[in-house]
Amino acid sequence: MSDPLRRNLRKNDLKQIMAVLLSLSLAGCSGVGIQSDIEQPPYEVVASLSDDIEIRQYAQRIAVEATVTADDPHDARNAAFRLLFDYISGSNKANAEIAMTVPVETTSDSKRIEMTAPAESQIGDAGTVTMKFFLPRRFTPESAPKPTDDRVRLVLMPEQRFAVLTFSGSRNQQGVSAGVDQLRAALKARDLNPGISARAFFYDPPWTIPWFRRNEVAIEVTSGSCPISDAIVEMA
């Protein structure tokens, strides 16, 4: 990789990090974890499997989504993040600024989970990245501001049931993978049928002291009364 390209990637990374830090700072984050006044998606605890594993039913929610393809998935991820950050910063038909919510959600079809924030991201073939930001629940399909960029879409997420393992400490790839393995083993022991994809939920800004962090890994489940969710619907 050439030096100019490295410098450009570092510049893009810095812009993304600063955007996240600014948004989380304005939302009232602290050094010892996310504050309780930051909005979280509503859910019902259906069952507790242990002190740190529970089954949650999440309600329907609205997300804004972008899909970007680039030779390098890292570049695609940065571009998707910028599109979505611009949307919540006012680049929408209502010129409305939209507050970020927690948790950060990341997903992947593979064992590897990409660490992006504050979003859900999925990496496909040939450097294709799909990333989502979830909107505050005050928005409805009718009131959610329409994107001005045709690369950005509003989607209606269905109700979903997840098995969720909560842990603190490091949220690097090793920590997340270990959590996923632990969660899958617990589900298998209880004859629950987990989905293929795992995702990670992060509730705290990067500077939070590790042992004060709330990190989670989640897998969609189905067994008897645990149905697989309906399809995601793109909003007109």
Side-chain angles (χ1 to χ4, degrees), residues 46 55 161 187 190-194 220-228:
V46 177
I55 307 296
R161 184 163 291 195
L187 295 177
R190 292 166 175 81
D191 295 324
L192 288 170
N193 183 20
E220 194 165 5
V221 293
T222 174
S223 177
S225 61
C226 301
I228 295 177

Side-chain angles (χ1 to χ4, degrees), residues 23-168:
S23 300
L24 291 175
S25 297
L26 292 175
C29 297
S30 72
V32 294
I34 207 79
Q35 294 186 358
S36 60
D37 58 346
I38 307 303
E39 185 173 331
Q40 302 179 31
Y43 62 82
E44 175 188 358
V45 177
V46 177
S48 293
L49 305 187
S50 67
D51 289 342
D52 54 4
I53 299 176
E54 59 189 19
I55 307 296
R56 298 177 187 170
Q57 182 76 26
Y58 279 85
Q60 191 178 73
R61 57 237 188 263
I62 299 172
V64 61
E65 174 185 85
T67 300
V68 175
T69 299
D71 292 336
D72 186 340
H74 181 81
D75 294 343
R77 188 167 61 248
N78 281 344
F81 180 93
R82 176 50 56 187
L83 286 171
L84 298 182
F85 189 79
D86 286 347
Y87 168 84
I88 67 169
S89 298
S91 294
N92 53 68
K93 292 184 178 179
N95 296 319
E97 294 187 5
I98 301 170
M100 288 184 176
T101 61
V102 293
V104 171
E105 181 176 330
T106 70
T107 62
S108 174
D109 284 337
S110 66
K111 183 69 174 288
R112 179 175 177 80
I113 297 178
E114 294 295 324
M115 302 301 177
T116 58
E120 171 189 296
S121 68
Q122 183 173 358
I123 296 182
D125 296 331
T128 297
V129 172
T130 297
M131 183 177 289
K132 295 181 181 70
F133 285 8
F134 292 94
L135 301 189
R137 59 181 177 269
R138 67 184 177 86
F139 288 107
T140 66
E142 294 75 28
S143 66
K146 301 297 187 293
T148 53
D149 193 314
D150 59 11
R151 294 170 294 178
V152 177
R153 303 172 296 278
L154 288 169
V155 293
L156 185 62
M157 304 297 294
E159 292 187 8
Q160 291 173 296
R161 184 163 291 195
F162 291 111
V164 180
L165 167 70
T166 301
F167 64 101
S168 60

Side-chain angles (χ1 to χ4, degrees), residues 167-172 208-215:
F167 64 101
S168 60
S170 175
R171 54 191 182 191
N172 61 17
T208 303
I209 299 170
W211 55 85
F212 286 116
R213 290 174 181 165
R214 176 186 173 186
N215 308 320

